[in-house]
Amino acid sequence: MDSGARGHSIVSNINVDGGSTVFSPNIQGCGSAKVTMPITSNSAPRGGSARNQPLAPRRKINAKVLIDKVTDKKAFVQQNWANLVQKVKNVDELADHMMGHSLTAEMYSEIMNGKTPEEKMRKLLQYTTVTGSSCDHLFVKLCELQYCIMEDLIQ
């Protein structure tokens, strides 16, 4: 069992028969994590081969639409502080993008020394919500890198 970069894994055994259909899970917020799902089938799908066929068209991610919906980005981040701390798990990538915009090397190091994603996100928010411009940049990066989370919070 591969536990992934963060030590989290989900193990699931799915058994179907009699022409049943299995839909793969919708995985959101995994960033650049490696996801593998070995599938073994003992019967041919009805109506021809359905392997690797998307069931619905993929939605093109357009972060600009989210960015334009929020006028006061600093207030939005402050109001959604707790949700961001709980939901954003790939804080390292976010901090990488914030380096040089509002994070010094020392701040970046403190964030990376956090033991949990929640601890890292609290520290990142603490550093980047001081000024409007740094908070605006954080908001844009959240929309680009954590689209599903931000879409849910903005709706």
Side-chain angles (χ1 to χ4, degrees):
M1 172 175 69
D2 181 11
S3 62
R6 299 274 180 254
H8 301 294
S9 66
I10 298 172
V11 178
S12 176
N13 294 316
I14 301 171
N15 299 302
V16 297
D17 59 23
S20 298
T21 302
V22 176
F23 297 97
S24 64
N26 182 3
I27 301 169
Q28 297 182 358
C30 63
S32 60
K34 178 181 175 186
V35 176
T36 58
M37 288 194 300
I39 299 172
T40 305
S41 174
N42 293 329
S43 63
R46 293 185 299 184
S49 176
R51 291 183 192 268
N52 299 321
Q53 296 294 319
L55 298 173
R58 290 184 183 245
R59 181 177 58 175
K60 183 175 168 81
I61 293 175
N62 187 354
K64 184 163 177 16
V65 171
L66 293 181
I67 294 164
D68 291 344
K69 282 186 178 181
V70 177
T71 53
D72 189 345
K73 291 158 180 51
K74 184 174 181 179
F76 177 89
V77 170
Q78 289 173 334
Q79 289 168 359
N80 288 282
W81 185 294
N83 284 322
L84 292 168
V85 167
Q86 292 305 310
K87 293 180 179 191
V88 175
K89 298 302 176 199
N90 195 358
V91 183
D92 294 3
E93 181 183 24
L94 193 54
D96 290 344
H97 284 274
M98 294 303 294
M99 259 307 275
H101 289 277
S102 59
L103 294 181
T104 64
E106 184 179 342
M107 293 171 171
Y108 179 85
S109 180
E110 278 190 48
I111 292 166
M112 291 300 153
N113 286 333
K115 293 185 183 356
T116 65
E118 293 84 3
E119 188 179 332
K120 290 179 179 183
M121 192 63 188
R122 279 186 201 98
K123 190 61 78 173
L124 178 66
L125 289 170
Q126 184 180 22
Y127 289 140
T128 57
T129 56
V130 175
T131 67
S133 63
S134 64
C135 198
D136 286 354
H137 188 74
L138 172 67
F139 181 87
V140 168
K141 290 302 166 189
L142 281 165
C143 289
E144 292 172 356
L145 301 171
Q146 302 291 325
Y147 182 85
C148 294
I149 293 169
M150 293 301 283
E151 183 181 41
D152 286 345
L153 293 176
I154 291 170
Q155 298 302 336

